[in-house]
Amino acid sequence: MPLLDIAKGIACALIVGHHLSRYGTMPVGAFLLAPGLLGWLADDGRLAVQVFLVIAGFLAAASLAPDGVLRVDRPIARILQRYGRLVMPYMAALTVCVLVAAFVRPWMAGDDVPASPSIGQLLAHGLLMQDLLGYEALSTGVWYVAIDFQLFVLALTLMGLPAMLRRAPVPAAAVSRERWTPVALVLAVATTSLVLFNRNADLDGTAFYFFGAYGLGMLAFWIGRATRASTWRSAIVLLALTGAAALAIDWRSRIATALVGALLIAVAQRRGWLSLGRWPDVAMPLQRLGRMSYSLFLIHFPVLLATNAAVEQLGPHAAWIDALGMAATFGLSVGAALLLYRAVEVRPASWRAVAALFAALLVSGMLVAS
């Protein structure tokens, strides 16, 4: 689906820009040259995360239950597989971040550089439980990886719940109703998240806080599977009204972004734009960026720390040097992401690789803490 890759490429570039405009000393100097752009990125660039949540939900529905019924024979094995796919590049990037943070710490003041990690902090990150256990993040944005895993588990549970509770085979006459039960569960939990859970900041370390956006993506996929135009239109109206009602109760720009994203994807799917094989040449770099967006999301922060530390050593300097340093950071981050993507992310997940990367993270943490 090239269009989804393009959307992920744009969203990831905005997230990197958001972090570039908030961390280190370079954005302070560069702000004089582009106050509008950097101010917008610092305040609203984070909203691009909602695009990833919607797309993740869309793809989860497509792979787990394209027809509304869970197509997974071994749910536990699928959950473990998802964990392995997520944590391999994640732990490789965290290892780099731990080492880079230790290297630049003597030259960078402030709270932007993560402190030396404890063994409990390292274990919690490796198990994707750092926010649930109250540990400080080793890198910016790593909360998303833990939330993505929780959302996947929650979605799989909701779609498999009817089968788990069923004690007898489903009669042929009830097959259609069985197919809609998981969809109804996802709609109910997503609506509850939009109206209730997402308004409670104490829940932002759990999947329930974010399932509204994720569920909108799942529902957008199933809407696109409607065979009748009238059914599709009715479902689109229901989706829009659900989001609008949540925003009427409490306006949140993040939910508005997720709703618009879900509706656009639903329309694009209906019109066949998602599966177009050829896009204008200008979109190709964004498509490639989208394919390795996860690696870029993970690795750009240690690059940001290194470049900020290097620029700080120049002493007093002109604003254009800071702006050039930010541009160089983005380019170097893309280069580092390409290496991580090819060396780790596209490799088949295996428990041997997961164990080796987990060990590397622990060892790097103990080395810099000693």
Side-chain angles (χ1 to χ4, degrees), residues 7 22 128 132 135 173 190 204 278 335:
R22 289 180 62 89
L128 302 180
L132 295 175
Y135 284 104
D204 65 359
R278 180 66 179 171

Side-chain angles (χ1 to χ4, degrees), residues 317-337:
H317 53 266
W320 67 267
I321 295 180
D322 288 320
L324 185 62
M326 293 177 69
T329 301
F330 187 89
L332 291 171
S333 296
V334 172

Side-chain angles (χ1 to χ4, degrees), residues 15 71 275:
I15 292 169
R71 290 187 178 181
S275 57

Side-chain angles (χ1 to χ4, degrees), residues 20-264:
L20 281 172
S21 64
R22 289 180 62 89
Y23 294 100
T25 58
M26 288 192 295
V28 177
F31 186 83
L32 299 173
L33 301 178
L37 174 62
L38 293 181
W40 178 80
L41 284 172
D43 293 335
D44 297 323
R46 59 188 173 82
L47 295 177
V49 171
Q50 302 301 316
V51 176
F52 280 100
L53 289 169
V54 171
I55 292 177
F58 183 92
L59 296 177
S63 64
L64 296 177
D67 298 316
V69 177
L70 186 63
R71 290 187 178 181
V72 176
D73 295 329
R74 297 186 299 163
I76 300 301
R78 189 62 179 270
I79 290 172
L80 293 175
Q81 180 188 45
R82 179 66 176 174
Y83 171 80
R85 294 295 300 163
L86 281 174
V87 301
M88 283 177 56
Y90 162 83
M91 288 195 287
L94 278 184
T95 301
V96 173
C97 193
V98 166
L99 295 174
V100 170
F103 180 77
V104 305
R105 199 170 290 120
W107 295 283
M108 283 187 69
D111 298 328
D112 292 341
V113 183
S116 297
S118 66
I119 186 65
Q121 190 179 13
L122 294 166
L123 289 170
H125 276 74
L127 297 174
L128 302 180
M129 298 180 67
Q130 65 273 11
D131 293 317
L132 295 175
L133 297 178
Y135 284 104
E136 292 291 331
L138 293 175
S139 179
T140 188
V142 294
W143 64 267
Y144 179 86
V145 184
I147 290 298
D148 183 275
F149 181 65
Q150 289 184 39
L151 287 168
F152 183 84
V153 174
L154 178 57
L156 192 150
T157 301
L158 291 175
M159 289 182 285
L161 190 60
M164 287 188 286
L165 297 178
R166 188 176 62 239
R167 297 182 179 180
V170 180
V175 170
S176 178
R177 185 180 61 188
E178 173 83 2
R179 183 167 65 90
W180 287 106
T181 302
V183 178
L185 284 173
V186 169
L187 175 60
V189 177
T191 302
T192 305
S193 175
L194 292 171
V195 173
L196 184 62
F197 300 144
N198 189 256
R199 299 168 60 207
N200 184 351
D202 292 335
L203 296 176
D204 65 359
T206 71
F208 295 104
Y209 184 86
F210 296 95
F211 194 78
Y214 194 85
L216 288 175
M218 296 179 70
L219 294 167
F221 175 81
W222 286 320
I223 288 172
R225 303 277 289 183
T227 55
R228 295 180 181 178
S230 59
T231 303
W232 183 85
R233 287 193 295 268
S234 299
I236 283 289
V237 170
L238 176 60
L239 188 70
L241 289 176
T242 300
L247 293 173
I249 293 172
D250 185 3
W251 172 265
R252 288 146 290 167
S253 54
R254 59 184 181 274
I255 299 302
T257 303
L259 177 61
V260 171
L263 292 172
L264 289 176

Side-chain angles (χ1 to χ4, degrees), residues 25 104 106-109 306-317:
T25 58
V104 305
W107 295 283
M108 283 187 69
T307 54
N308 268 281
V311 171
E312 280 196 29
Q313 301 314 301
L314 300 177
H317 53 266

